[in-house]
Amino acid sequence: MSAPERGVAMDAAELHAFMIDAFDRPLSWAIERVDADGVRVRQPVAGTDLRPGGTVSGPTLMGLADGVAYIAVLSHLGPAALAVTTNLNINFLRRPRPVDLVADARLLKLGRTLALVDVLIYADGGGPDDLERPVAQSVVTYSMALLTPPDPTGEPPA
Amino acid sequence: MSAPERGVAMDAAELHAFMIDAFDRPLSWAIERVDADGVRVRQPVAGTDLRPGGTVSGPTLMGLADGVAYIAVLSHLGPAALAVTTNLNINFLRRPRPVDLVADARLLKLGRTLALVDVLIYADGGGPDDLERPVAQSVVTYSMALLTPPDPTGEPPA
Amino acid sequence: MSAPERGVAMDAAELHAFMIDAFDRPLSWAIERVDADGVRVRQPVAGTDLRPGGTVSGPTLMGLADGVAYIAVLSHLGPAALAVTTNLNINFLRRPRPVDLVADARLLKLGRTLALVDVLIYADGGGPDDLERPVAQSVVTYSMALLTPPDPTGEPPA
Amino acid sequence: MSAPERGVAMDAAELHAFMIDAFDRPLSWAIERVDADGVRVRQPVAGTDLRPGGTVSGPTLMGLADGVAYIAVLSHLGPAALAVTTNLNINFLRRPRPVDLVADARLLKLGRTLALVDVLIYADGGGPDDLERPVAQSVVTYSMALLTPPDPTGEPPA
């Protein structure tokens, strides 16, 4: 397993294994990029993600936003993290075509008690502008309150 | 079918049938109340809604918030409505136990171009305070721009 | 000074004095109600609150939402509270006429690390429906991370 | 007056003059950059913006977010725009020192009925990282419903 980048506590393979273990089910997402700036995840859309009219359901986009933001927090804090989503705000900007979803997560803040992650989601059908016009924008907030008292077995929060 | 209340364009049975038709799959929700003040929906939690530690997943709560808010808009506008979710903001207030979810939706505004719905979600295990301490609060915003002129097909939104 | 209601740590007069002291300037708001359910504040609109067209500025509504929510938190926690606003989400529902603003704040959660307050703002010109059709709805989130250990000086938040 | 950039309907000087005219008072902001990607505004903090403890008030940050986002919309639509703020969501990330505020606004969407603008606010005291660690992040949503038909008077929004 390759060494994680500076400022990153887990690499893509470690994050993938952790997510499968934590949620106890197969993970349909590919973690395409993990670095100090953030995380990129690709999700193929399945039949249950679709809505009449050939678009992708809101809950699919919301689940992806929450998931990629959580992976971004984990990538900095390591597997001992106990981050609980306290707020998710999502703007649906454009109707996504039923192609792969690509989500870019970027940490706005990683504090002692709160972490905030900005997420942009794209519908990537291979077109030249597909990764420039987001279909959704989201900010997800996590509380790290449960990390106090510090867990002696795990890595301390940043 | 009983006549809808004043100010309400569809009753619970009509809304239930419309939702099944629109989303083309069984609806696990019971629409318990529809009146001028809003809508109450009950959702039993299934295995796929659960998370390790015996709680309910965020996407389940987000999907319920979006769904009950949409039903509240439909109940006032009738089946021709073409309302598209443009924003969903949700605060996760308390960790829900794995019991029935009950969601109360109340219209904040039903305008010509925007509708806003306030949602409170409870975890109802039958305890005396279960319907007084919400596990989540959400505001869902819909754009009704496409309603002008009214769509004769009543095609469902994304 | 009358004894505060059960569940309330400060009454209206104490809150008024505290706010003047904390912010070091006159308080144009009247705190009309403080009880276990929440707080009501009335704000006369001044010339600097107005916008061309005879309406009230967004920043005036945002400042009122933040202020009344903070008073609601204080009313439960007492003057030692060190609550810092971490998020404010506001929906502008209707264009307010240039009359008194009335803001009702209700605690959604008062936790160890986070407090969330729901706010409804009305434009009250004395009409029969003025306090039934909100002009804005807001949720304000506070971090109480600094409350541990309690601050004996009662220094006001930012 | 220099020609605006491609994709931009008004340049910095035109926007400055428009804002003074629209709000009928001096504008303390300097519009530092206007291009296809967005707008940068600098606001010196005044005494009334400060809070005890030497930080900047929340309402100052909220007013700046709303203002810079509006300028970003105007810069694309020109002075006939009648955009009304319908939602403002702001995350307070770090306590700002009492130095200049710098706000960067970027259009997420400029649609027929809705425009969404992402805003990052920095406290710029001249330090090397000051423009890399935002003190606040905001998304502001505007309704352009009243733009149809375009308003020839260029009357400013609320």
Side-chain angles (χ1 to χ4, degrees):
Chain A
M1 188 170 290
S2 62
E5 291 218 3
R6 195 171 63 83
V8 173
M10 300 172 81
D11 67 14
E14 290 167 327
L15 287 163
H16 192 88
F18 180 88
M19 291 295 285
I20 288 173
D21 198 48
F23 294 97
D24 198 20
R25 67 190 56 147
L27 188 69
S28 67
W29 304 342
I31 302 175
E32 292 196 334
R33 184 172 54 78
V34 178
D35 59 28
D37 288 333
V39 164
R40 170 170 286 187
V41 160
R42 179 178 296 267
Q43 174 178 354
V45 300
T48 53
D49 299 318
L50 299 182
R51 282 288 182 274
T55 188
V56 180
S57 82
T60 293
L61 297 171
M62 295 189 275
L64 176 56
D66 190 30
V68 71
Y70 182 58
I71 291 173
V73 171
L74 274 182
S75 76
H76 276 77
L77 294 184
L82 198 46
V84 176
T85 310
T86 57
N87 176 267
L88 187 144
N89 185 58
I90 186 165
N91 293 295
F92 300 97
L93 303 171
R94 296 170 182 88
R95 184 176 277 251
R97 287 166 301 134
V99 294
D100 277 10
L101 297 173
V102 169
D104 284 342
R106 186 172 50 92
L107 283 169
L108 287 170
K109 174 182 174 143
L110 185 59
R112 198 171 52 87
T113 55
L114 289 178
L116 286 93
V117 186
D118 189 79
V119 177
L120 290 171
I121 301 179
Y122 304 89
D124 182 17
D129 298 335
D130 284 1
L131 294 178
E132 283 170 21
R133 292 165 52 89
V135 297
Q137 180 271 345
S138 179
V139 172
V140 191
T141 304
Y142 296 91
S143 171
M144 259 90 75
L146 302 179
L147 278 177
T148 319
D151 176 3
T153 70
E155 209 173 329
Chain B
M1 186 171 292
S2 62
E5 291 220 2
R6 196 170 62 84
V8 173
M10 300 172 81
D11 66 16
E14 290 167 327
L15 287 163
H16 192 89
F18 180 87
M19 291 294 284
I20 289 174
D21 197 48
F23 294 98
D24 198 20
R25 65 191 57 148
L27 188 68
S28 67
W29 303 343
I31 301 175
E32 292 197 335
R33 183 172 55 77
V34 178
D35 59 29
D37 287 333
V39 163
R40 170 169 286 185
V41 159
R42 178 178 297 266
Q43 174 178 356
V45 299
T48 53
D49 299 318
L50 299 183
R51 281 288 180 275
T55 189
V56 179
S57 83
T60 293
L61 297 171
M62 294 188 277
L64 176 56
D66 190 31
V68 70
Y70 182 56
I71 291 173
V73 171
L74 274 183
S75 76
H76 277 77
L77 294 185
L82 197 48
V84 176
T85 309
T86 57
N87 176 269
L88 186 143
N89 185 57
I90 185 165
N91 293 295
F92 300 98
L93 303 171
R94 297 171 181 90
R95 185 175 277 254
R97 287 166 301 134
V99 294
D100 278 10
L101 297 172
V102 169
D104 284 342
R106 186 173 51 91
L107 284 169
L108 287 170
K109 174 181 173 146
L110 186 59
R112 196 171 53 87
T113 54
L114 289 178
L116 287 94
V117 186
D118 188 79
V119 177
L120 290 171
I121 301 179
Y122 304 89
D124 183 17
D129 298 335
D130 285 2
L131 294 178
E132 285 171 19
R133 291 165 54 88
V135 298
Q137 179 271 345
S138 180
V139 171
V140 191
T141 303
Y142 296 90
S143 172
M144 255 96 69
L146 303 180
L147 272 181
T148 317
D151 175 7
T153 69
E155 191 182 356
Chain C
M1 188 171 290
S2 62
E5 290 218 4
R6 196 171 62 82
V8 173
M10 298 172 82
D11 66 16
E14 290 168 326
L15 287 163
H16 191 89
F18 180 87
M19 291 294 285
I20 288 173
D21 197 49
F23 294 98
D24 198 20
R25 68 191 54 147
L27 188 68
S28 67
W29 304 340
I31 302 176
E32 292 196 335
R33 183 172 54 77
V34 178
D35 60 28
D37 288 332
V39 164
R40 169 170 286 185
V41 160
R42 177 178 297 265
Q43 175 178 355
V45 299
T48 53
D49 299 319
L50 299 183
R51 282 287 182 274
T55 188
V56 180
S57 83
T60 293
L61 297 171
M62 294 189 275
L64 176 57
D66 190 29
V68 70
Y70 181 57
I71 291 173
V73 171
L74 275 183
S75 76
H76 276 78
L77 294 184
L82 199 47
V84 176
T85 310
T86 57
N87 175 268
L88 186 144
N89 185 59
I90 186 165
N91 293 293
F92 300 98
L93 303 170
R94 296 171 181 90
R95 185 176 276 252
R97 287 167 298 135
V99 294
D100 278 9
L101 297 173
V102 169
D104 284 342
R106 186 173 50 91
L107 284 168
L108 287 170
K109 173 181 174 145
L110 185 59
R112 197 171 53 85
T113 55
L114 288 178
L116 287 95
V117 185
D118 188 80
V119 177
L120 290 171
I121 301 179
Y122 304 89
D124 182 18
D129 297 336
D130 284 1
L131 294 178
E132 283 170 21
R133 292 165 52 88
V135 297
Q137 180 272 343
S138 180
V139 172
V140 191
T141 303
Y142 297 91
S143 171
M144 257 94 71
L146 303 179
L147 271 181
T148 319
D151 176 7
T153 70
E155 190 182 359
Chain D
M1 188 170 291
S2 62
E5 292 219 1
R6 196 171 61 83
V8 173
M10 300 173 82
D11 66 16
E14 290 167 327
L15 287 163
H16 191 88
F18 180 87
M19 291 294 284
I20 287 173
D21 196 50
F23 293 99
D24 197 21
R25 66 190 57 149
L27 188 68
S28 66
W29 304 342
I31 302 176
E32 293 197 335
R33 184 172 55 77
V34 178
D35 60 28
D37 287 334
V39 163
R40 170 169 286 187
V41 161
R42 178 177 297 266
Q43 174 178 356
V45 299
T48 53
D49 298 319
L50 299 182
R51 281 289 181 272
T55 189
V56 180
S57 83
T60 293
L61 297 170
M62 294 188 277
L64 176 56
D66 190 30
V68 70
Y70 181 57
I71 291 172
V73 171
L74 275 183
S75 76
H76 276 78
L77 294 184
L82 197 48
V84 176
T85 310
T86 57
N87 177 267
L88 186 145
N89 185 58
I90 186 165
N91 293 294
F92 300 97
L93 302 170
R94 296 170 181 91
R95 184 177 278 250
R97 287 167 301 132
V99 294
D100 277 10
L101 297 172
V102 169
D104 285 342
R106 188 173 49 90
L107 283 169
L108 288 169
K109 173 181 175 146
L110 186 59
R112 196 171 52 85
T113 55
L114 289 178
L116 287 94
V117 185
D118 190 79
V119 177
L120 290 171
I121 301 178
Y122 304 88
D124 182 17
D129 297 336
D130 284 1
L131 294 178
E132 284 170 20
R133 292 165 52 87
V135 298
Q137 179 271 344
S138 180
V139 172
V140 191
T141 304
Y142 297 91
S143 172
M144 255 96 69
L146 303 180
L147 273 180
T148 318
D151 175 7
T153 70
E155 189 183 359

